Amino acid sequence: MSQDVTRGQADSAEALVSSGAASALRVALEQYDRAADKLNLGAAVREVMRHPKREVTVHFPVQMDDGSTSVFTGYRVWHNVTRGPAKGGIRFHPLTDLAEIRALAMWMTWKCACVKIPYGGAKGGVTCDPKQLSIRELERLTRRFTTELGEMIGPDSDIPAPDVNTNAQVMAWMMDTYSMHRGYSVPGVVTGKPVSIGGSEGRQEATGRGVIYTLQEAAKAIDLELQGARVVVQGYGSAGESAARFIAELGARVIAVSDSRGGVFDGDGLDLPLVTRHKQETGSVIGTPRTRAVTNAELLELDCDVLIPAALEGVLTERNAPRVRARLIAEAANGPTSPEADDIFRERGITVIPDILCNAGGVTVSYFEWVQDREEFFWSIDEINARLRRIMVRAFEDVQRTAVEHDVDLRLAAYMLAVSRVAEATVTRGFYP
Ligand code: NAD
């Protein structure tokens, strides 16, 4: 196979990065390049994996409750499907764009390979502010977006899941829409569905549970006692709330949590059920009784043992990394840390459990859900959690061993494992024709 490759022809990645609107994509590409350098990848396979395989952008009308029509833009990107069907969440957010979705799709490829789940990487999103939409508008938007994705999604080709501002109900609408077009029920087209229509036990909190399994392993490795440890969580949503709850169950004190409007702090440990209730009633953690307000920027720099970023990408950079006081950072969010911040954390002896390992519990139980849908045979919660723990602990051990062998941090080790697995599959399959 010729290793000569023509750079730039298929590539609008650099153009998107240089547009400045694409820090997530810059980070994803730099993380990939660091691993590719270390692995001495052949030029052809290196170039192939640097690009998304397929991207779809759709513009579609949605009828609003007041009778007007708004046009929305949505995306679905397959980064790589060499190891299996495309897999990745759907995000509804005002700042979502193609560059962000590209980065998130690439991270999904590495994540599935890192924990050895037989999927490729994908991501999707619609640029919208779901907080401004009624439930019926959200349903119409979801159903039309699903229809626009057409043949791209399907249980053998591409299986969406929840991500920021999407949930089990959104997945139910996607599953129903897809099924209506087929004329029969296809539960395996999405994961993260309600259990009543083929969802899996334990999927809702799987990301948080997986975060805690890797965190327990990392804490052992650096001799950090989790009993009594002070923990800060940025982003009290699906991933962050469950991670906070599980680490509190292990005896840690969660001293601060936040959402997009800001955070709350209690040095003795927050009353998490009270925080959750307050958020359900008011839409935010802000103002939870007996707490002090903190900004999201302050929260990241609080004196603590464990920091769990669980909101959006790009929050830990060279600007705040020197002031982060945690000993251990567990990336429940995708892409929270820039490569420059990684270098600073490494120099400062702060351990980072990288996203592609740390938050892989979500896609792992999504995989279990898909397997159960295909078998039409459902497992117990104990079976699911035991299998999840085995996969997460084994993946952590693989990454930790690679880090020691090559004297690199956990991120580079996780990337080296993941990228080499996808590279091997790519070379084994060969380049058609
Ligand atoms: P979510 O919508 O349930 O929760 C997101 C939370 O972050 C909300 O509380 C929101 O208010 C908060 N937030 C948003 N912008 C913020 C900001 N600028 N500062 C502080 N907080 C902010 O979403 P989620 O599914 O929990 O996803 C959170 C992160 O976890 C994302 O990076 C996502 O890609 C990642 N992730 C999610 C899953 C999953 O299964 N849901 C799996 C793996 C990774």
Side-chain angles (χ1 to χ4, degrees):
M1 181 192 308
S2 165
Q3 291 291 291
D4 292 339
V5 281
T6 312
R7 283 176 176 270
Q9 283 180 349
D11 199 358
S12 54
E14 266 65 26
L16 279 174
V17 168
S18 65
S19 76
S23 62
L25 187 54
R26 179 193 71 83
V27 168
L29 290 171
E30 166 126 20
Q31 288 168 340
Y32 169 68
D33 285 338
R34 285 182 177 198
D37 286 347
K38 195 87 184 162
L39 291 167
N40 272 323
L41 285 185
V45 71
R46 178 176 179 146
E47 196 62 8
V48 167
M49 294 193 298
R50 212 167 184 274
H51 290 87
K53 174 183 170 63
R54 181 177 295 181
E55 302 181 329
V56 167
T57 299
V58 292
H59 308 282
F60 56 94
V62 175
Q63 196 166 48
M64 311 306 279
D65 290 345
D66 66 4
S68 66
T69 301
S70 294
V71 175
F72 291 88
T73 300
Y75 312 94
R76 186 74 181 164
V77 174
W78 293 1
H79 170 253
N80 187 295
V81 291
T82 309
R83 296 180 60 262
K87 186 85 187 88
I90 301 279
R91 173 173 295 197
F92 290 168
H93 195 273
L95 300 179
T96 284
D97 60 13
L98 181 59
E100 181 192 50
I101 298 297
R102 267 190 178 184
L104 289 159
M106 191 181 213
W107 285 324
M108 284 305 298
T109 302
W110 311 139
K111 190 182 303 180
C112 294
C114 182
V115 292
K116 290 194 181 165
I117 296 295
Y119 281 142
K123 205 80 178 189
V126 176
T127 311
C128 66
D129 185 354
K131 290 184 188 132
Q132 304 298 323
L133 299 174
S134 73
I135 189 85
R136 288 294 148 234
E137 288 168 341
L138 201 60
E139 177 175 352
R140 285 194 289 272
L141 179 146
T142 302
R143 288 184 181 279
R144 179 64 191 246
F145 177 55
T146 307
T147 305
E148 293 291 336
L149 293 179
E151 293 303 313
M152 197 169 183
I153 61 169
D156 293 317
S157 58
D158 178 2
I159 308 119
D163 193 71
V164 173
N165 289 328
T166 57
N167 56 19
Q169 178 60 71
V170 172
M171 292 306 114
W173 291 327
M174 290 191 80
M175 177 273 201
D176 184 69
T177 305
Y178 184 87
S179 299
M180 288 298 107
H181 286 286
R182 290 293 170 287
Y184 51 90
S185 291
V186 189
V189 66
V190 292
T191 58
K193 301 176 292 294
V195 171
S196 60
I197 56 167
S200 178
E201 297 290 346
R203 172 60 186 88
Q204 165 64 34
E205 60 274 13
T207 304
R209 209 176 271 287
V211 168
I212 300 309
Y213 291 156
T214 60
L215 220 155
Q216 285 179 293
E217 297 305 305
K220 265 189 256 165
I222 63 167
D223 243 344
L224 171 67
E225 178 57 69
L226 287 180
Q227 173 82 31
R230 294 157 308 156
V231 180
V232 167
V233 181
Q234 185 193 43
Y236 201 61
S238 170
E241 184 277 331
S242 50
R245 181 156 40 94
F246 294 134
I247 201 159
E249 282 174 11
L250 294 176
R253 264 184 297 152
V254 178
I255 59 169
V257 301
S258 69
D259 55 37
S260 56
R261 287 163 53 187
V264 287
F265 172 85
D266 179 348
D268 294 329
L270 293 162
D271 176 347
L272 291 177
L274 181 65
V275 177
T276 303
R277 214 164 42 244
H278 187 81
K279 185 169 163 80
Q280 277 162 358
E281 283 164 8
T282 68
S284 174
V285 298
I286 295 284
T288 302
R290 301 189 300 280
T291 63
R292 179 160 78 68
V294 283
T295 66
N296 265 300
E298 286 163 351
L299 176 130
L300 295 169
E301 298 174 19
L302 286 173
D303 192 9
C304 64
D305 301 297
V306 178
L307 174 61
I308 306 182
L312 297 175
E313 52 272 10
V315 294
L316 295 168
T317 66
E318 73 270 32
R319 280 197 294 280
N320 57 6
R323 294 191 300 276
V324 166
R325 287 190 269 176
R327 279 183 66 195
L328 181 57
I329 298 173
E331 293 185 336
N334 286 306
T337 308
S338 74
E340 297 74 24
D342 265 334
D343 294 341
I344 294 168
F345 292 143
R346 184 168 157 78
E347 269 166 36
R348 294 186 55 215
I350 296 173
T351 300
V352 179
I353 314 172
D355 47 7
I356 62 169
L357 169 65
C358 189
N359 70 40
V363 74
T364 301
V365 177
S366 273
Y367 170 62
F368 296 165
E369 179 173 334
W370 179 76
V371 169
Q372 292 170 83
D373 287 339
R374 295 177 82 96
E375 290 183 337
E376 297 178 349
F377 180 76
F378 289 85
W379 313 343
S380 71
I381 182 72
D382 290 345
E383 202 169 348
I384 283 158
N385 289 342
R387 285 179 196 251
L388 173 62
R389 184 189 277 275
R390 268 205 302 280
I391 287 178
M392 298 303 291
V393 170
R394 188 199 59 202
F396 184 89
E397 288 169 353
D398 287 350
V399 170
Q400 169 89 344
R401 196 175 327 106
T402 306
V404 171
E405 256 170 43
H406 295 271
D407 189 25
V408 297
D409 60 23
L410 294 179
R411 175 154 355 254
L412 189 46
Y415 265 75
M416 287 169 69
L417 278 180
V419 170
S420 62
R421 286 171 185 158
V422 181
E424 190 195 330
T426 305
V427 171
T428 304
R429 284 181 60 161
F431 298 138
Y432 177 83

